[in-house]
Amino acid sequence: MQLIAAFINRAIMQGTPLLFGATGEIVTEKSGNLNLGIPGIMYIGAISGVIGAFFYENSGYFIPAVGIMIALLSCLIGSLLASLIYCFLTITLRANQNVTGLALTTFGVGFGNFFGGSLIKVTKSEVPYLSLSDTGNAFSATLPFAKSLGWFGKMFFSYGFLVYVAIVFAVLASLFLNKTRMGLHLRAVGENPATADAAGINVSRYKYFATCAGGMIAGLGGLYFIMDYMGGIWANDGFGDRGWLAIAIVIFAIWRPALAIPASYLFGALYILFNYLPLPMPMIPILQMLPYVITIVALVITSIRKKRENQPPASLGLSYFREER
Amino acid sequence: MKKQVAIELKGISKRFGSVLANQNVDLTVYRGEILAILGENGSGKTTLMNMISGIYHPDEGEIYINGKLATIESPRDAFSYKIGMIHQHFKLVDIFTAAENIILGMKDGQKYDLAKAEEAVQEITSKYGFEMNPQKKIYDMAVSEKQTVEILKVLYRGADILILDEPTAVLTPQEIEKLFAVLRAMREDGKSIIIITHKLNEVMEISDRVAVLRKGEHIGTVQTSKTTEQKLTEMMVGKKITLNIDRTQVKNPVDRLFIKNLNYTNQENVKVLNDISFTARSGEILGIAGVAGSGQKELLEAIAGLQPLDSGEIIFNRPKKNLPVSFYHKTYRQVVELAAEGKFHYEDGTPVDFTGMKKKEICKLVNEGKILFNEDDVMNLRDKTPLQIRELGVRLSFVPEDRLGMGLVGNMDLIDNMMLRSYRKGNSILVDRKKPENLAEKIVSGLEVVTPDLHTPVRRLSGGNVQKVLVGREISSAPKVLMAAYPVRGLDINSSYLIYNLLNKQKEEGTAVIFVGEDLDVLLGLCDRILVICGGKVSGIVDARTATKEEIGLLMTKKDAGTKQEGDANE
């Protein structure tokens, strides 16, 4: 039981950045914007939070609540600015979404590594990483009674607050999309922007709103990974390919935030499964491949079933031009 | 009873670039009436209505609604004046339900409550006699249901003035009856209904008054009960304008292309081609007249091998009886196969039998012209791809309506565009660029194409020059059949005449030319015979030298017109 509890605990922690990323990407894609810059935005969100926390920790005194606020705020600002780059290029200038997104990811990774590397240099550290243990501890603080509840506490309560925030965001996103007028409008924009436009919906505004909100949610995933999962340690390229996994989850969860919750945890579990299985080293990459394999399987199944509700938003990836004569 | 004015238009003008879409239009719409707006393609009906519904803004003129000057900048403004337009192309989100589509974009300040909206929709449907389940998804709906959703959308927003753009174009006769019943119910309810159409029988059936537009101008508005279809047609087409196109007499016409009973039903279950039959002859220009979307596009594409058919035959005919077989049209294998079927004879009349002969001997006989056809050489082109048609040795050229989409590749230069026709020639793995270059040069100098050089992407050329390049390429292969869809659309007078002359030259060289046009004056001035289609059906074939515009106009708009015999048009 202890082992299973520990496995689930790690799976959920591993799945949380993915859940942030997937929720953000779903909200974005529902507006018809295929933001492949999400991995980059998650990097930028993480490094922005790290920069904020770094300056606060080095200012002398440290109050955990303030440390959290500063890290969150700088993360949100960083990912908002990154999302705005994407919005401006694809919505205002109508640049190709794929190219813009991929460029933004490349940029985001470089941006993170540049400033991360610079901060490591500034600290004159011997090791190739930056440690923000105070902020890290503040983020990963769990409910005090978690330890006393044994495996039950381990499975459900031994997480930093961002794990719960991720679930709340996914549920809220689901309610927003399906139960509100704005959600209806947003889905209309992603399905058929010309129709939405004719109905008096401001297509550009909705696209900007969804892409920025989605980017900020995804940015939190990066921050969570550094501050909670890693305990406040930034290492260049430490975030890995989790951003792409988040995009894979969007497909796997057939564009439903509520489904993204179990999907993220499943992907998280598959991501760390090799630690719990007695496998020879060369087999590990095969195991790590599984999330992508099941995404492809999910794609094949949804494509064969052809249920219209399970398809991506109809105008996903397309720029909207108002029809002019 | 004095009628209340709902909308009054005063001196409305609208241009798009140099094209005048509407000129000085005055129009009045009353409450509780159905007004039909009648006009040919491009007469400015839809543009005028788009100005009322806020899609376009008039360049000049004023719109008064309920006696007050109104500025309508957007569809939202139009809604605030209680005007709603139902477009020809539905603006619906496929994966939403009817109710979701209906409330989309509404800001009524109330809480978002789909169930309540569904009830309200149900109320409207029962009030006017619609049939609609508000929870049905759009992708499960037939076209008529989608149209109902569009109308409900407008009514739900409380519109008093409804504009319907060609609402019957996509409906079956039964559905049209239902729609008309609903429209009458709305009229009884005091709503003003404007219906854009070019179907005369429907105008007579449903409308109270008819406003006729021609070339952007308002010709007049008449009481439907005090007019006839004949009078309306006259108003619609106007007087005949004589164009200065040289039309030569048809010389040695040969039946070149037999179109037999073509049928095609599209995904929306509309019969786009309905039992179309005709014959195109070499050395004459066959015009095809019809309201846009009557099946012209599908017909030409079917002949060109781009449009699958449900049934029918497209027979290409070479009058070869008693003429020698050559390897120009037939490959060696085809010759042997046909000989085995007993299709050839020698000069003295004995049947050809190649059994036991060597390839060399057979080739020699054919090359010396000693093998003759028993009958005319006919081929069915149905279900053949354009490439297969070409491999059969049929020189068929097609100038499609969509020049830069289907005809040419906009980003490629003139030479590369020439190569779209010839890239398979030659046996080398490298393409031969020399011949296409010569051809491009010949076209540029021969047709006076204005271009900086041969390496300019064709999209940078003006519309007229693009068309010259396309037509030039298509006629360069000395086609036996040349099909041109709206070849002068968007072209200025000089370019248009150049195209007419090119078509005429093809005719003189013995090509069977098929010309789809929209301007009746041009059709009457250029063509030898005119095939009129209406709703995918041939409504008549007339002799262009004697036919009148009114005659063609009536055939174009009357669905049940008696099909004329082709014999009528023969000289």
Side-chain angles (χ1 to χ4, degrees):
Chain A
M1 204 67 227
Q2 275 301 328
L3 187 70
I4 293 174
F7 174 63
I8 290 176
N9 176 282
R10 298 308 288 174
I12 288 178
M13 289 185 70
Q14 193 61 250
T16 296
L18 307 181
L19 180 53
F20 274 117
T23 308
E25 182 68 12
I26 290 173
V27 172
T28 306
E29 290 196 10
K30 281 289 179 186
S31 76
N33 274 356
L34 178 65
N35 189 356
L36 295 180
I38 280 288
I41 291 175
M42 293 176 85
Y43 258 91
I44 292 176
I47 192 64
S48 304
V50 164
I51 294 171
F54 176 80
F55 285 112
Y56 182 61
E57 274 197 20
N58 287 342
S59 68
Y61 29 57
F62 187 83
I63 306 164
V66 178
I68 287 175
M69 288 312 292
I70 287 179
L72 280 180
L73 209 64
S74 28
C75 163
L76 291 177
I77 291 172
S79 27
L80 173 65
L81 290 176
S83 307
L84 281 173
I85 297 176
Y86 179 86
C87 290
F88 180 70
L89 282 166
T90 61
I91 304 167
T92 307
L93 302 182
R94 299 188 189 109
N96 181 298
Q97 295 189 7
N98 296 334
V99 175
T100 310
L102 291 172
L104 184 59
T105 287
T106 315
F107 167 75
V109 174
F111 181 91
N113 287 344
F114 173 73
F115 285 99
S118 306
L119 287 184
I120 294 169
K121 282 266 159 54
V122 169
T123 57
K124 301 206 171 60
S125 167
E126 297 282 311
V127 285
Y129 58 80
L130 180 72
S131 179
L132 301 162
S133 50
D134 289 345
T135 319
N137 288 337
F139 268 92
S140 49
T142 59
L143 291 168
F145 55 82
K147 287 229 166 56
S148 60
L149 289 173
W151 64 266
F152 186 79
K154 179 102 180 154
M155 249 164 84
F156 294 106
F157 298 114
S158 61
Y159 307 104
F161 71 99
L162 277 178
V163 171
Y164 307 105
V165 170
I167 299 171
V168 169
F169 274 179
V171 172
L172 284 181
S174 188
L175 291 176
F176 168 78
L177 287 172
N178 297 315
K179 298 282 176 209
T180 67
R181 193 183 295 270
M182 271 181 82
L184 181 76
H185 291 182
L186 180 63
R187 283 188 290 139
V189 168
E191 287 293 332
N192 192 336
T195 296
D197 196 15
I201 296 168
N202 189 331
V203 172
S204 293
R205 191 185 295 167
Y206 269 89
K207 279 183 170 246
Y208 260 91
F209 161 75
T211 308
C212 289
M216 284 156 76
I217 295 172
L220 288 178
L223 185 73
Y224 167 84
F225 180 77
I226 301 299
M227 292 304 177
D228 187 344
Y229 189 82
M230 297 294 290
I233 291 173
W234 169 274
N236 278 0
D237 289 326
F239 190 64
D241 57 358
R242 289 176 178 79
W244 297 114
L245 268 182
I247 292 176
I249 289 171
V250 174
I251 299 164
F252 186 67
I254 46 176
W255 290 267
R256 290 178 193 175
L259 276 184
I261 302 172
S264 298
Y265 296 154
L266 173 68
F267 276 43
L270 291 171
Y271 204 76
I272 55 158
L273 189 60
F274 67 92
N275 286 325
Y276 296 81
L277 292 178
L279 285 175
M281 271 300 274
M283 292 294 285
I284 290 173
I286 294 184
L287 218 50
Q288 286 178 321
M289 223 164 64
L290 278 177
Y292 298 102
V293 173
I294 62 169
T295 303
I296 293 170
V297 171
L299 257 180
V300 170
I301 293 171
T302 50
S303 303
I304 291 172
R305 288 186 62 211
K306 282 193 178 143
K307 196 153 178 269
R308 291 290 294 269
E309 281 81 1
N310 293 346
Q311 300 302 318
S315 78
L316 183 63
L318 307 174
S319 302
Y320 174 60
F321 296 83
R322 185 179 282 204
E323 267 173 60
E324 300 282 352
R325 186 163 159 166
Chain B
M1 187 188 89
K2 192 164 171 0
K3 286 188 285 187
Q4 277 182 296
V5 174
I7 305 184
E8 200 175 359
L9 304 182
K10 284 186 181 166
I12 298 284
S13 294
K14 176 78 187 168
R15 346 175 132 259
F16 294 104
S18 62
V19 182
L20 199 60
N22 283 122
Q23 192 179 8
N24 204 15
V25 175
D26 296 324
L27 190 68
T28 311
V29 186
Y30 297 101
R31 278 179 187 282
E33 74 160 357
I34 298 178
L35 174 75
I37 308 258
L38 184 68
E40 285 187 292
N41 302 317
S43 57
K45 299 169 297 204
T46 304
T47 309
L48 185 67
M49 290 303 115
N50 276 340
M51 283 190 274
I52 302 176
S53 66
I55 309 257
Y56 300 136
H57 192 68
D59 295 336
E60 281 164 43
E62 286 158 344
I63 302 173
Y64 292 86
I65 293 168
N66 299 326
K68 286 192 195 112
L69 184 65
T71 23
I72 306 173
E73 302 274 3
S74 70
R76 191 175 277 275
D77 287 350
F79 276 135
S80 66
Y81 288 110
K82 302 199 166 186
I83 300 170
M85 182 154 168
I86 292 104
H87 294 272
Q88 233 174 328
H89 302 285
F90 303 138
K91 291 209 184 314
L92 296 170
V93 179
D94 268 357
I95 67 156
F96 285 7
T97 64
E100 282 177 319
N101 267 293
I102 288 165
I103 60 167
L104 188 68
M106 290 272 288
K107 283 182 191 141
D108 48 11
Q110 285 171 23
K111 205 172 152 277
Y112 175 73
D113 186 350
L114 202 57
K116 226 172 96 186
E118 280 165 6
E119 262 171 50
V121 168
Q122 205 78 67
E123 216 169 277
I124 302 173
T125 53
S126 47
K127 182 173 172 191
Y128 295 113
F130 289 106
E131 285 163 29
M132 169 61 51
N133 170 11
Q135 286 172 340
K136 198 169 178 183
K137 299 257 172 146
I138 301 297
Y139 61 76
D140 278 334
M141 290 186 179
V143 188
S144 60
E145 289 176 283
K146 291 182 189 173
Q147 185 179 56
T148 306
V149 177
E150 285 283 5
I151 297 173
L152 284 171
K153 210 158 113 181
V154 170
L155 290 175
Y156 186 82
R157 285 162 171 72
D160 284 337
I161 300 159
L162 280 89
I163 306 167
L164 294 100
D165 190 357
E166 312 236 358
T168 58
V170 292
L171 302 182
T172 63
Q174 293 83 0
E175 289 166 342
I176 292 174
E177 275 314 306
K178 274 189 199 165
L179 174 71
F180 283 180
V182 167
L183 293 183
R184 289 192 188 104
M186 288 187 214
R187 175 177 61 188
E188 299 315 312
D189 198 38
K191 297 198 185 296
S192 310
I193 292 154
I194 306 175
I195 162 167
I196 302 177
T197 182
H198 43 235
K199 291 185 191 160
L200 282 170
N201 54 339
E202 288 170 5
V203 170
M204 302 305 288
E205 189 186 337
I206 186 80
S207 70
D208 300 311
R209 292 188 309 141
V210 194
V212 182
L213 293 187
R214 189 203 313 148
K215 299 203 164 125
E217 284 181 73
H218 180 214
I219 302 304
T221 304
V222 289
Q223 298 274 341
T224 310
S225 52
K226 291 180 187 155
T227 187
T228 62
E229 293 191 16
Q230 193 68 40
K231 277 186 200 159
L232 286 176
T233 310
E234 274 172 35
M235 286 172 78
M236 202 164 99
V237 295
K239 283 210 179 66
K240 186 176 171 179
I241 303 160
T242 315
L243 294 167
N244 209 1
I245 304 173
D246 297 324
R247 174 165 52 191
T248 54
Q249 288 299 318
V250 180
K251 274 177 247 160
N252 318 318
V254 175
D255 290 346
R256 177 62 77 195
L257 197 62
F258 299 105
I259 305 298
K260 291 180 182 168
N261 312 93
L262 297 194
N263 280 296
Y264 168 61
T265 306
N266 71 4
Q267 287 174 336
E268 266 124 37
N269 236 346
V270 177
K271 243 181 164 322
V272 183
L273 297 179
N274 190 349
D275 207 27
I276 288 198
S277 299
F278 63 91
T279 304
R281 302 188 191 127
S282 67
E284 73 160 16
I285 300 182
L286 174 70
I288 297 185
V291 165
S294 301
Q296 297 97 321
K297 180 169 176 274
E298 287 78 7
L299 174 61
L300 291 202
E301 289 185 1
I303 298 173
L306 300 167
Q307 170 71 58
L309 292 167
D310 299 337
S311 65
E313 286 183 332
I314 300 162
I315 308 287
F316 181 82
N317 176 43
R318 278 195 204 103
K320 287 286 186 187
K321 196 172 179 182
N322 295 330
L323 291 175
V325 177
S326 82
F327 286 129
Y328 187 71
H329 291 308
K330 301 276 177 225
T331 62
Y332 173 75
R333 241 182 67 201
Q334 285 170 332
V335 168
V336 173
E337 277 169 16
L338 288 169
E341 289 169 27
K343 302 269 185 187
F344 305 143
H345 62 88
Y346 291 109
E347 279 163 320
D348 55 5
T350 49
V352 168
D353 186 4
F354 285 145
T355 36
M357 286 172 77
K358 285 196 182 116
K359 183 172 179 181
K360 217 170 157 186
E361 291 171 89
I362 297 173
C363 289
K364 192 167 170 248
L365 281 171
V366 172
N367 285 335
E368 285 172 0
K370 298 228 166 103
I371 311 289
L372 307 181
F373 282 96
N374 291 349
E375 287 159 3
D376 288 348
D377 184 16
V378 295
M379 273 165 289
N380 194 346
L381 304 187
R382 188 191 155 191
D383 292 339
K384 298 261 191 306
T385 65
L387 190 63
Q388 286 171 325
I389 292 175
R390 215 178 302 171
E391 278 169 354
L392 281 173
V394 175
R395 277 170 294 153
L396 186 93
S397 287
F398 182 27
V399 178
E401 184 181 345
D402 182 9
R403 289 162 211 165
L404 279 180
M406 254 174 94
L408 302 168
V409 178
N411 281 334
M412 298 199 323
D413 66 15
L414 274 72
I415 300 170
D416 287 355
N417 270 298
M418 294 301 133
M419 285 169 61
L420 290 179
R421 267 283 192 184
S422 63
Y423 68 100
R424 296 181 67 92
K425 284 193 183 138
N427 292 321
S428 161
I429 54 162
L430 303 174
V431 285
D432 177 8
R433 292 184 65 89
K434 195 65 211 158
K435 279 180 197 154
E437 190 173 340
N438 292 340
L439 175 59
E441 211 152 316
K442 224 174 84 189
I443 290 172
V444 168
S445 57
L447 305 187
E448 292 165 6
V449 177
V450 182
T451 171
D453 55 41
L454 298 180
H455 300 286
T456 309
V458 289
R459 72 182 148 80
R460 293 221 204 117
L461 307 183
S462 72
N465 287 310
V466 167
Q467 188 67 314
K468 285 182 201 170
V469 171
L470 177 57
V471 173
R473 185 188 74 195
E474 290 303 313
I475 62 179
S476 69
S477 58
K480 288 290 171 194
V481 178
L482 171 65
M483 299 187 287
Y486 308 108
V488 296
R489 183 182 278 175
L491 267 54
D492 59 33
I493 298 286
N494 285 332
S495 307
S496 299
Y497 272 87
L498 201 130
I499 301 290
Y500 300 148
N501 290 339
L502 284 175
L503 295 179
N504 263 326
K505 208 167 150 219
Q506 287 303 306
K507 164 184 162 185
E508 279 165 37
E509 285 170 10
T511 307
V513 181
I514 300 177
F515 171 87
V516 176
E518 45 197 349
D519 190 330
L520 292 184
D521 290 316
V522 172
L523 280 163
L524 285 169
L526 177 71
C527 303
D528 300 295
R529 288 182 305 149
I530 299 173
L531 173 88
V532 189
I533 53 179
C534 174
K537 237 179 170 166
V538 176
S539 54
I541 296 181
V542 296
D543 183 347
R545 288 183 175 76
T546 53
T548 61
K549 272 171 99 173
E550 286 77 17
E551 199 180 328
I552 297 175
L554 269 175
L555 286 170
M556 276 166 64
T557 49
K558 239 175 152 178
K559 212 161 194 170
D560 310 317
T563 308
K564 285 200 169 189
Q565 289 303 306
E566 190 157 340
D568 293 1
N570 289 351
E571 287 94 346

